[in-house]
């Protein structure tokens, strides 16, 4: 079945199985999102984004689909479009840390350093198990020479990581 193939990581087979599903099932929010995720895993980001858009048409509050679109546009170096979808995801679920991460990275990219760092720090405080994000924050702080007290606090947070 489609769900079993997705669960087993057989993404190409899952996409083929999707094509044979009844139309009513194909138009379900969860199935569309999963198909989008399959396309994304296979590197077909255009097809993935199409499914994530369709998911949002069914349920505008699907924060995971909105976040995937934010990530898609961030990877395409379209930060303003990425910000739009990250903010959409955050409105739907303010506690979903990947959306804060996408928003913060894009904000720093377009020069909104303070806002970006604020969102990135919220993300890492909610989920400290993000070593790449931790390093990105430190590098960004070093580049803009923000006050050392905040940077020291961030280093303390980094000491939570196992060595």
């Amino acid at each position: 079945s489609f769900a079993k193939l997705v669960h087993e990581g057989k993404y190409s087979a899952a996409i083929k199985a999707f094509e044979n599903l009844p139309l009513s099932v194909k138009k379900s929010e969860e199935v569309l999102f999963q198909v989008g995720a399959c396309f994304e895993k296979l590197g077909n980001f255009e097809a993935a984004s199409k499914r994530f858009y369709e998911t949002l048409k069914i349920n505008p509050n699907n924060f995971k689909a909105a976040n995937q679109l934010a990530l898609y546009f961030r990877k395409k170096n379209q930060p303003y479009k990425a910000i739009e979808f990250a903010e959409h995801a955050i409105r739907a679920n303010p506690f979903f840390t990947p959306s804060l991460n996408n928003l913060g990275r894009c904000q720093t990219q377009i020069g909104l350093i303070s806002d970006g760092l604020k969102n990135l720090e919220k993300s890492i405080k909610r989920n400290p198990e993000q070593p790449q994000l931790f390093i990105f924050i430190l590098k960004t702080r070093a580049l803009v020479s923000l006050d050392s007290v905040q940077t020291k606090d961030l280093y303390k947070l980094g000491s939570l990581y196992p060595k």
Side-chain angles (χ1 to χ4, degrees), residues 25 40 72 96:
V25 176
E40 187 176 57
Y72 169 72
F96 190 60

Side-chain angles (χ1 to χ4, degrees), residues 26-30 32-33 48-67 69 81 85 88:
K26 282 185 185 180
K27 295 296 178 186
S28 92
E29 172 186 357
E30 185 58 32
L32 281 169
F33 181 82
S49 68
K50 179 181 175 191
R51 295 328 184 280
F52 296 139
Y53 272 117
E54 291 175 25
T55 302
L56 282 178
K57 284 181 188 172
I58 294 169
N59 178 4
N61 291 320
N62 189 311
F63 60 92
K64 289 181 180 178
N67 184 67
L69 287 166
K81 194 78 172 161
F85 282 104
H88 181 122

Side-chain angles (χ1 to χ4, degrees), residues 94-150:
F95 300 101
F96 190 60
T97 56
S99 299
L100 286 169
N101 186 342
N102 280 324
L103 178 61
R105 284 179 183 262
C106 289
Q107 287 171 321
T108 60
Q109 183 180 354
I110 64 169
L112 299 173
I113 306 297
S114 180
D115 290 341
L117 284 171
K118 181 178 81 175
N119 285 311
L120 293 170
E121 288 168 1
K122 271 190 214 174
S123 177
I124 207 162
K125 283 177 184 171
R126 290 180 185 169
N127 178 9
E129 298 298 318
Q130 302 179 76
Q132 289 180 328
L133 178 59
F134 175 74
I135 292 166
F136 180 81
I137 293 170
L138 288 176
K139 285 181 177 178
T140 303
R141 283 198 171 282
L143 287 173
V144 295
S145 301
L146 294 177
D147 73 75
S148 60
V149 174
Q150 290 176 328

Side-chain angles (χ1 to χ4, degrees), residues 72-91:
Y72 169 72
F73 285 109
R74 194 180 111 205
K75 287 179 177 179
K76 283 190 69 164
N77 199 27
Q78 295 181 24
Y80 292 98
K81 194 78 172 161
I83 287 171
E84 176 187 327
F85 282 104
E87 288 175 338
H88 181 122
I90 291 166
R91 282 191 301 276

